[in-house]
Amino acid sequence: MRKRSDWASGFIFLLPLLFTLAVAFLYAFVRTVYFSFTDYNLFRITHFVGFDNYVQLFSDPRFMLALTHSLVFAAIVTASQTFFALLLAVVLNQKIRGLTFFRATYYVPCIASSVAITTVFVWLMNRRGTINWLLTAIGRNFPFVALGLAVVIAVQAIQVYWDRRHGLPARALDPVHLGIGLLAATVVTVMLAQFGVVRPYSMAEVAIPWFTTRQAFLGIPLPLLSIMMLNIWTTAPTMMILFLAGLQDVPRELYEVADLDGATPWQKLRYITVPAIRPVMFLVITLGLIGTLQMFDQAAITSGIAPLESVITLAYYVYWSLFGARTLPRVGMASAAALVLAVLTLVVVLLQRRVGFSERGWYS
Amino acid sequence: MRRILLSVLLVVLVCSVGLAQEKVIITLAGHSVDTPLMQDVLARFVVGKIPGVEVVWEPITEDYFAFAMRTLAAGTAPDILYLDVYWAREGAETGALAPLDQYIAQSKILHKEDLIPVLLDAFTFDGNLYAISKDFNSLVIYYNKDMFDAKGVPYPSADDTWLTFLEKIARVHNPPEWYGICLNADAARFLPFAFAAGMPFLKEDGSAPFDLAAAKYAADWFTIFQRLGIGVTSADIGFGWPGAAFVAEKAAVVIEGGWLMPPIRGENPTLNFGAAFLPEVWQGGPRGNYLFTVGYAMPVNPPSGRPDLVFKVIEILTSPEVQEYILKSGHAIPSRKALLGSPFFQQVDPFAQATKTVFEATALPGTVPFAFGAVGGGNYMTPVVEALTLIMQGEATVEEAMNAAAAKLNLALGLK
C-alpha cells in the first residue's frame, strides 16, 4: 500500500515534466512525422504523399549540400572545441596569478549574444576588414619575423651548446637564454632594417572574401569555415567550464605520484587527466555534436551576405523549406528534413558513444 | 456614511470595469524600422479618433513573411498586418486574409478610385482586394554631388546609357576615400536590368530564362564594376547594406529606393546628393525598374473581433492627411492619386527632388511589380544571387554562372 502511494507521489512530482515533454516533444514529434508524409502548407493538407517528400529531399542537391555541410561542421567544430576547451581548462586549473580574471575573460564569448558576435565577426572578416589587414601585415613583415626567429634559434643554440660543453645543465628552452636571444634578435633585426639589408615583403593587400564567395579550402566553403572559427571561439569556453568542473574531481595525489615518476605535462594529460574525466568528455562531445548538427543562427545571419550554397546546413535547410522560397511554406518537406536531422543526430551521438568516449568513468 | 461611500466606490468600480471591457484593442504589426514613423502617425492621427479603440503598434524584427505565415496559420495574426507585393499572392492563397472589397464599398473615406490603379492591381487576386497599399517605391541612382564635383565628372542623369554610366563610375572612383559604386549581388537590383535587356520572366516553355543572351549580357554589365575594381559590395567595406556606405560617404553611387532618405535625413542630413533614373540599355532604349509596395491587410478573424473597426483604422492610416504627412516627412510616396500633385514635389530640397524621381520612375515603361507569381521569390532570386556572387568574385564566368542559375531554377520549377 505504502509502495503504491510512493509511486503515486513520485508520479505527481514527475507530472509537470511529463506533461511538458508530451506536449512540446511527443506531440510535436508525432505531428512532424505525420506532416512529413503530406503536402501540408501550414494552411491545409490536400494530399497524403507517402514517401515523396523524402525522395524529393534526397534528390535535391541543396539538401545533399546541407547534409554534407552539417556533418563536416559537426566533426571539425566538435573536435576543435573539445580540444581547445580541454587545453583552456587545464591551463586555468593551475594556480596562476589573476586566475579569476582569465576565467572570466575566456568565458565572455559565451555570454554575448550570438547574433551580436556573428555581426562583429562579419565586420572583422569583410574584404577590407581587420583580419585581412592583419594577414597583410604579417605577410609584409614576414622577412623581419623570419630573421628574428632565425637569430633567436641561433643564439639559443649557441648558449645551450656553450653551457652544456662547460658541464652546466641548460635546458633547450632555458628562459634566461631565450630572453637574451630575443634581445639579440630585436637588435639585429632593427639594425638590418635600418641599413636596408632586410626589407618588407612586397605583396598585394590580402583581400580574402571570407563570406561573399564560393571558394573552398580543403573542400570546405570559406564562409562555412569562417562560421566554424566563430563557433569554436564562442562555444569552447562553455565546454571549458564543464572540463574545469571535471578537473576538480581528479585526485591531486595522482599528479604528485606522476611528478615523482618524472612524468612530463603531456604524459600527465594523456594518462591521468583525460582518462579521469571521461564522463565529462562524453558530455562535452555529445553536447558539441548535438549543438553543431543543429547550428542555425550563424548560418541564417551570414546567409544574408554569403551565397546560400556556401553556408546552408540541415537546420537552415528546414527553415529555408518553410519560408525561404517565398512560396506557401512547404511543411511536408521541412518536416522530412527535420526528421532526417533528428535521426542523424541520434545516430552520430550513438556512434560516438560506441567508438569514442562513453559516459563510463575511469574508476568504473 | 461608510456604507454609502462603499456603495459609491462599488458603482465606480463596476462602471470602470464595464468601460474597460468596452475598449477595443487593435494591433498593428509592421517592420520594426517603421517604429518611429508609425508611433508618430498613431499619436497624431489615430489616438482618440475612434471612440473606445486603442491601436497598439507591434514592431516585428524577424523575417516578416515568416511572421505573417506563422501567425496567420496559428490564428494569432494581428488585426492589421503588412502585405508585401513580393509575397502578396501567397498571402491571398492562405485563405486567412479577409477580402476588403465589402468594407471599401461601404467606406465614405476610402474609394478604389482614389488609389493608384497599379497599386490596387498588385493586391487584387481572383477579383478580391486583399490589402490597401500604404505607399510605394522604385529604384533610382543615388549619387553624391560633392564626389562627382571633386572629380569633375558629370552627374548621372536620365540620359545615361549602361556604357556612359559605367564610364562615370570609373571616373568618380577614388579609393580609399570613396568607391565608385557600392552594389551587392542582389537580385532585386539586377533583375530590372535583365528585364530591360530583354530577359523575360520565364521562357515561353515555362523554364528559367537566366541562360538567355539578354540575361548574360545584363549579368556581365551588372558585375563589371567589381571585376574592374571600381565597385565594392557593402560587406567588402564593412557596411550592412549599400545605403549605409552612401550615407557614410564611402560610395559615390548606390542603387536604392526611397527608403534611403530617412537614414540620410537622420544620420547625414547635409549630404549633398541627387537621384536619377536607372540608365537605359542604349540611347533611347529600354529601361527597367521594380515597383515595391506594401499594403495594410486584415485576417479573416481579427483578434479584436471587430473587423469594422479594424477597417476604420486602415481608413485613417491611408487617409489623405496621413499620407501627406508621411510624404512630407520623406518616408514614402503615398498611394493616393490626389497626392501625386502635391506641392511637396515642386520643392528644390534634395529630399523632395529625390522623392519625385522615385515616384516618376514608377510610371516609366518597363517598371514591373516586385512579384514572382507562383514561382516564389526565393526560388527565383536565390540562384541569381549565387550566380552574381560567383561572377563578382571572379570564381565563374558569366556563361557558367548564369547557366548554373538557370539549372537551379529549373530544378525548383520541377523541370530537369
Side-chain angles (χ1 to χ4, degrees):
Chain A
M1 194 63 196
R2 184 180 164 77
K3 270 186 182 171
R4 185 172 288 183
S5 75
D6 281 354
W7 185 88
S9 47
F11 183 76
I12 289 168
F13 277 115
L14 276 175
L15 210 55
L17 180 68
L18 288 176
F19 178 76
T20 318
L21 274 177
V23 172
F25 179 73
L26 195 64
Y27 174 71
F29 182 76
V30 171
R31 292 262 294 182
T32 307
V33 173
Y34 170 61
F35 288 149
S36 74
F37 294 107
T38 69
D39 64 349
Y40 183 49
N41 66 8
L42 270 189
F43 296 91
R44 62 194 81 90
I45 298 173
T46 48
H47 293 106
F48 183 78
V49 297
F51 284 94
D52 275 9
N53 286 327
Y54 291 93
V55 173
Q56 269 191 50
L57 209 58
F58 284 97
S59 58
D60 182 357
R62 202 171 270 148
F63 172 77
M64 297 311 288
L65 204 60
L67 185 65
T68 316
H69 285 173
S70 283
L71 287 172
V72 171
F73 188 89
I76 295 179
V77 174
T78 305
S80 310
Q81 77 191 12
T82 306
F83 173 75
F84 287 118
L86 181 61
L87 211 66
L88 275 176
V90 169
V91 171
L92 294 183
N93 199 36
Q94 314 288 322
K95 284 186 179 124
I96 51 171
R97 198 183 284 266
L99 185 67
T100 319
F101 169 77
F102 285 116
R103 281 183 182 170
T105 306
Y106 286 119
Y107 196 64
V108 163
C110 287
I111 53 170
S113 136
S114 170
V115 175
I117 286 197
T118 310
T119 310
V120 170
F121 248 68
V122 167
W123 180 71
L124 287 175
M125 297 177 97
N126 72 53
R127 200 184 255 259
R128 289 174 175 79
T130 311
I131 304 283
N132 281 345
W133 172 83
L134 211 61
L135 290 175
T136 309
I138 292 169
R140 288 187 177 158
N141 293 301
F142 182 73
F144 301 114
V145 177
L147 174 69
L149 210 62
V151 173
V152 169
I153 291 169
V155 173
Q156 183 78 2
I158 292 167
Q159 291 181 99
V160 171
Y161 174 74
W162 180 270
D163 280 1
R164 286 185 182 172
R165 213 175 151 200
H166 291 83
L168 295 169
R171 282 185 294 161
L173 293 174
D174 186 279
V176 176
H177 291 342
L178 217 52
I180 295 169
L182 279 172
L183 200 67
T186 311
V187 172
V188 170
T189 310
V190 169
M191 278 178 67
L192 291 180
Q194 284 291 323
F195 291 115
V197 179
V198 181
R199 290 180 183 174
Y201 179 57
S202 160
M203 61 175 265
E205 202 171 306
V206 176
I208 301 171
W210 292 98
F211 286 106
T212 54
T213 184
R214 292 264 1 241
Q215 276 182 50
F217 177 71
L218 297 176
I220 306 166
L222 269 190
L224 194 68
L225 203 65
S226 311
I227 299 178
M228 282 180 180
M229 291 194 268
L230 165 64
N231 207 283
I232 292 166
W233 183 67
T234 52
T235 325
T238 304
M239 305 308 183
M240 175 196 78
I241 295 288
L242 296 174
F243 276 132
L244 264 176
L247 287 175
Q248 309 293 316
D249 289 339
V250 184
R252 293 275 137 206
E253 298 81 23
L254 293 176
Y255 293 110
E256 287 167 14
V257 171
D259 284 336
L260 285 175
D261 287 345
T264 62
W266 167 250
Q267 284 172 324
K268 284 191 273 185
L269 180 74
R270 169 79 180 79
Y271 296 107
I272 299 175
T273 310
V274 172
I277 57 166
R278 279 181 78 92
V280 181
M281 190 73 89
F282 169 75
L283 178 70
V284 165
I285 295 178
T286 305
L287 287 178
L289 284 172
I290 295 172
T292 50
L293 280 171
Q294 302 191 348
M295 191 275 288
F296 169 80
D297 48 353
Q298 285 147 354
I301 296 163
T302 50
S303 70
I305 50 166
L308 182 67
E309 290 185 351
S310 293
V311 291
I312 194 163
T313 55
L314 273 184
Y316 191 63
Y317 181 88
V318 173
Y319 181 82
W320 165 264
S321 301
L322 280 175
F323 303 118
R326 289 294 193 262
T327 52
L328 281 180
R330 294 178 300 163
V331 182
M333 281 281 278
S335 301
L339 286 173
V340 170
L341 174 59
V343 171
L344 182 77
T345 310
L346 193 68
V347 169
V348 169
V349 169
L350 287 178
L351 257 178
Q352 190 288 127
R353 186 168 174 269
R354 178 63 66 89
V355 298
F357 285 89
S358 74
E359 70 272 32
R360 256 185 243 158
W362 182 37
Y363 306 111
S364 60
Chain B
M1 187 61 194
R2 187 177 287 177
R3 274 189 191 170
I4 294 169
L5 201 67
L6 275 172
S7 307
V8 170
L9 270 173
L10 199 65
V11 169
V12 169
L13 194 71
V14 168
C15 287
S16 58
V17 168
L19 280 173
Q21 279 175 344
E22 273 180 24
K23 196 174 190 181
V24 177
I25 306 281
I26 290 178
T27 47
L28 160 59
H31 300 139
S32 57
V33 289
D34 289 351
T35 299
L37 174 71
M38 291 309 294
Q39 283 182 335
D40 184 27
V41 165
L42 290 176
R44 280 172 189 271
F45 298 98
V46 182
V47 173
K49 294 295 188 296
I50 311 171
V53 168
E54 183 186 342
V55 180
V56 176
W57 167 252
E58 278 182 15
I60 305 301
T61 47
E62 68 173 298
D63 174 8
Y64 201 92
F65 174 76
F67 163 79
M69 288 293 151
R70 190 167 48 74
T71 53
L72 282 171
T76 56
D79 293 282
I80 303 170
L81 69 160
Y82 283 10
L83 186 64
D84 195 316
V85 65
Y86 179 27
W87 47 266
R89 176 180 289 275
E90 284 68 37
E93 279 177 1
T94 62
L97 287 178
L100 302 177
D101 303 79
Q102 56 159 327
Y103 299 101
I104 207 167
Q106 293 164 4
S107 173
K108 289 177 182 149
I109 303 172
L110 191 61
H111 306 104
K112 280 188 177 179
E113 309 81 71
D114 299 336
L115 298 166
I116 297 167
V118 69
L119 300 179
L120 277 173
D121 294 344
F123 296 115
T124 302
F125 302 98
D126 297 328
N128 295 319
L129 178 68
Y130 286 94
I132 309 295
S133 171
K134 68 187 192 77
D135 53 38
F136 66 100
N137 247 307
S138 62
L139 296 169
V140 292
I141 303 288
Y142 281 89
Y143 55 90
N144 184 313
K145 289 183 174 175
D146 292 341
M147 293 177 188
F148 276 82
D149 290 343
K151 299 288 282 183
V153 183
Y155 299 149
S157 73
D159 298 329
D160 272 331
T161 65
W162 286 12
L163 272 180
T164 60
F165 180 73
L166 172 63
E167 187 206 337
K168 286 179 182 176
I169 298 297
R171 287 173 60 196
V172 79
H173 183 57
N174 187 33
E177 277 76 32
W178 66 76
Y179 302 92
I181 187 168
C182 185
L183 191 58
N184 287 351
D186 179 2
R189 304 288 180 282
F190 163 73
L191 290 170
F193 292 102
F195 294 142
M199 184 190 85
F201 180 71
L202 290 175
K203 287 182 193 165
E204 278 182 7
D205 61 1
S207 63
F210 307 136
D211 53 354
L212 291 173
K216 289 173 184 170
Y217 179 55
D220 188 34
W221 179 81
F222 190 84
T223 56
I224 202 163
F225 305 98
Q226 271 81 3
R227 287 184 288 136
L228 290 177
I230 55 175
V232 286
T233 64
S234 57
D236 283 344
I237 50 174
F239 291 98
W241 63 299
F246 187 77
V247 174
E249 301 194 49
K250 291 303 284 182
V253 166
V254 288
I255 301 175
E256 293 296 337
W259 52 82
L260 180 55
M261 279 179 266
I264 297 177
R265 202 187 281 273
E267 294 162 39
N268 192 356
T270 55
L271 183 71
N272 189 14
F273 74 99
F277 292 154
L278 301 187
E280 299 167 338
V281 186
W282 62 84
Q283 196 71 51
R287 191 190 323 252
N289 212 323
Y290 262 141
L291 174 77
F292 304 93
T293 179
V294 172
Y296 294 117
M298 174 170 67
V300 172
N301 296 309
S304 63
R306 294 294 303 272
D308 54 328
L309 294 178
V310 173
F311 190 76
K312 274 195 187 311
V313 176
I314 295 178
E315 277 180 341
I316 295 177
L317 291 172
T318 53
S319 65
E321 298 77 31
V322 172
Q323 293 230 318
E324 179 132 34
Y325 180 75
I326 291 175
L327 172 69
K328 284 180 177 165
S329 63
H331 281 87
I333 303 171
S335 52
R336 280 183 173 264
K337 278 185 209 166
L339 286 167
L340 300 180
S342 168
F344 173 77
F345 288 120
Q346 308 311 320
Q347 292 175 14
V348 286
D349 157 66
F351 292 97
Q353 285 304 303
T355 308
K356 187 181 174 194
T357 310
V358 172
F359 159 62
E360 286 174 350
T362 60
L364 292 173
T367 300
V368 293
F370 183 59
F372 297 85
V375 176
N379 283 334
Y380 196 86
M381 295 199 291
T382 304
V384 175
V385 172
E386 286 169 345
L388 295 175
T389 306
L390 288 179
I391 305 167
M392 281 182 177
Q393 303 295 349
E395 294 167 15
T397 63
V398 171
E399 186 77 16
E400 290 163 354
M402 295 307 282
N403 286 348
K408 284 177 200 165
L409 178 57
N410 282 335
L411 198 67
L413 293 169
L415 307 164
K416 296 270 176 176

